[in-house]
Amino acid sequence: MPNEYDLVVVGAGTGGYVAAIRAAQLGLKVAVVEKQKALGGTCLLWGCIPTKALLEHAHALKIVQHSKEWGISIGQSAVAIDMSRVQERKDRIVGGLTKGVEFLFKKNKIDWIKGTARLTGQGGVEVFEGDVQTLAARKEIIVATGSAPRSVPGIAIDRTRIITSDEAIHLKQVPKSIVILGSGAVGVEFASIFRRFGSEVTVVELLPRLVPVEDEAVSAELEKSFRKQGIKIHTGAKVTGATVSGAGVDVSAQLADGTATTINAEYLLVATGRGPVTTGLNAEGVGLQIEKGYIKVDELFRTSVPGISAIGDVITFGTPGHPQLAHVSSAEGIIAAERIAGQHVRPINYDHVPGCTYCDPEIGSVGLTEREAKERGLDVRVGMFPFGVLGRAKMSGETEGFVKIVADKASDDVLGFHMIGSRSTELVAEATLALRLQSTVEDLIRTIHAHPTMAEAVAEAAHATHGAALHS
Ligand SMILES: Cc1cc2nc3c(=O)[nH]c(=O)nc-3n(C[C@H](O)[C@H](O)[C@H](O)COP(=O)(O)OP(=O)(O)OC[C@H]3O[C@@H](n4cnc5c(N)ncnc54)[C@H](O)[C@@H]3O)c2cc1C
């Protein structure tokens, strides 16, 4: 006899585990199948949490490196990062959070079924780990199997010298040198971490600018700061091959001007994106529509097979693309769970999804870029305000960057916020709420921003959008 549940969730990442908790809160009997030894998926085990922990170490090191400026005396000893202590602390943080999810499962009476799931059709799931267990979902199955790093043609990841983020977060020593292929969030975050830790870092990006999904002004500011920090950058450049040689790797690339070059480094980190995980799931066997490996869903996460939903990094809507972000997977999990429990739900507005990149200086953005707004035929006006003018920025020694607002000229509606600089990943929360509440630039101007804060740059950028910031 199969074990019966209302809902069976496959995968305990930020999509799956949040969907399970929400469904249990709404009274459903829930099981989650997870093959890893810990709960939390990519975000907790190899993604958001470990990388941001390393970035906090990098930030701490930055302060210590500037100790004289802060009037802190640290004696004669050279400042150095102790990677084993760094890794220990990072692992402690990850361990605490995964245990926290286990606790939430117990609190909500969710069963964690350990093993690898295979869909068998008609609400059935087989779980393999030693013996085979059979589960039956009375209402629905949610597939939340996530994503894994993928390479580009011609580059074979060996996980030793040619690595992905999965290996980069566990490095026991600071690389002497590293080439990073790709300048999306993962690429530039590792560039910041390793540069601050002392590595020679080279970023190679195929497109003409860093962080290509961001507003062009943000890309330009990041490039300026990275170059100042000593990060080498090749944009518009194509990596054509990589050969492991002794204790390093030779990376061949064709640069923007057409010249061919070879860069030797201790590691090549391939950060060119992530592909869906459906191996062994029998997705096609049960009739799920698959597009380029992703599971096709509608706007409420229903797949082509009644009784099976899918959320998170493993899904596609067709076009446009689907953002692979932890908070997006959780938001989708909540909506899927509420729908399955019989609640009325609405589709997500993907124009209002905030994106944060925790490089130094960090980036927070939400809504349309200036170019996207213009491509949609909107008549826009923009306002920018530099953080460097603010008292709070001067006090913290973090004076780089700006807030940029894109607004509709006729209605005054805010369309997008693009911030680069210290605390931008926190400031984006205000920006996201402003979009959600369909705020105008005037609303932002009339919202009193506390002093002294970095958030004052949001109000000032709003003033600038109307023609005149007060402090610049
Ligand atoms: C280095 C890095 C940094 C990142 N930083 C951020 C960030 O700062 N902010 C952010 O929002 N996003 C970040 N992300 C992206 C974020 O981690 C993902 O978008 C998010 O984890 C996706 O969640 P998910 O639930 O869809 O899938 P996942 O978290 O990938 O979870 C899928 C789970 O399913 C399990 N699984 C797969 N197949 C089976 C099966 N057949 N049976 C049982 N279990 C199975 C897997 O073991 C895994 O635990 C980062 C990613 C990386 C790689």
Side-chain angles (χ1 to χ4, degrees), residues 215-244:
D215 192 275
E216 284 163 34
V218 168
S219 298
E221 182 75 7
L222 184 65
E223 179 164 341
K224 192 174 80 185
S225 176
F226 267 19
R227 286 195 192 278
K228 213 164 86 190
Q229 295 173 45
I231 295 173
K232 295 190 188 82
I233 297 166
H234 298 295
T235 48
K238 187 176 180 186
V239 168
T240 49
T243 319
V244 175

Side-chain angles (χ1 to χ4, degrees), residues 86-167:
V86 168
Q87 290 291 358
E88 247 172 60
R89 182 172 179 273
K90 178 209 76 185
D91 292 343
R92 224 172 26 247
I93 293 164
V94 168
L97 290 171
T98 59
K99 286 278 170 227
V101 179
E102 258 185 70
F103 165 78
L104 292 173
F105 272 23
K106 282 190 189 121
K107 182 179 158 197
N108 289 284
K109 301 190 172 41
I110 296 164
D111 288 342
W112 172 11
I113 315 289
K114 295 178 183 161
T116 302
R118 179 178 177 277
L119 306 175
T120 56
Q122 321 239 302
V125 177
E126 281 177 347
V127 182
F128 299 85
E129 192 179 70
D131 296 340
V132 179
Q133 290 187 61
T134 312
L135 312 178
R138 282 188 288 259
K139 282 181 180 288
E140 194 118 352
I141 294 166
I142 296 180
V143 177
T145 47
S147 63
R150 66 171 174 215
S151 191
V152 287
I155 309 291
I157 290 165
D158 69 357
R159 299 194 182 273
T160 308
R161 291 286 153 204
I162 305 179
I163 60 174
T164 71
S165 57
D166 290 356
E167 292 75 47

Side-chain angles (χ1 to χ4, degrees), residues 69 356 382 388 427 443:
E69 206 178 300
C356 292
V382 301
L427 297 185
D443 290 328

Side-chain angles (χ1 to χ4, degrees), residues 4 150 189 285 313 330 375 379 393 464:
E4 283 210 4
R150 66 171 174 215
E189 287 182 3
D313 281 10
S330 298
E375 280 168 1
D379 190 11

Side-chain angles (χ1 to χ4, degrees), residues 10-16 33-36 40-43 46-48 51-52 115-117 144-147 165 186 189-190 274 277 279-281 311-314 324-327 329 356 358:
V10 181
T14 40
V33 188
E34 172 54 59
K35 63 183 179 183
Q36 293 295 327
T42 302
C43 173
W46 319 280
C48 328
T51 48
K52 266 88 263 182
T116 302
T145 47
S147 63
S165 57
V186 172
E189 287 182 3
F190 276 108
R274 297 172 65 81
V277 173
T279 331
L281 193 64
I311 56 168
D313 281 10
V314 76
Q324 290 184 322
L325 291 168
H327 44 281
S329 69
C356 292
Y358 300 75

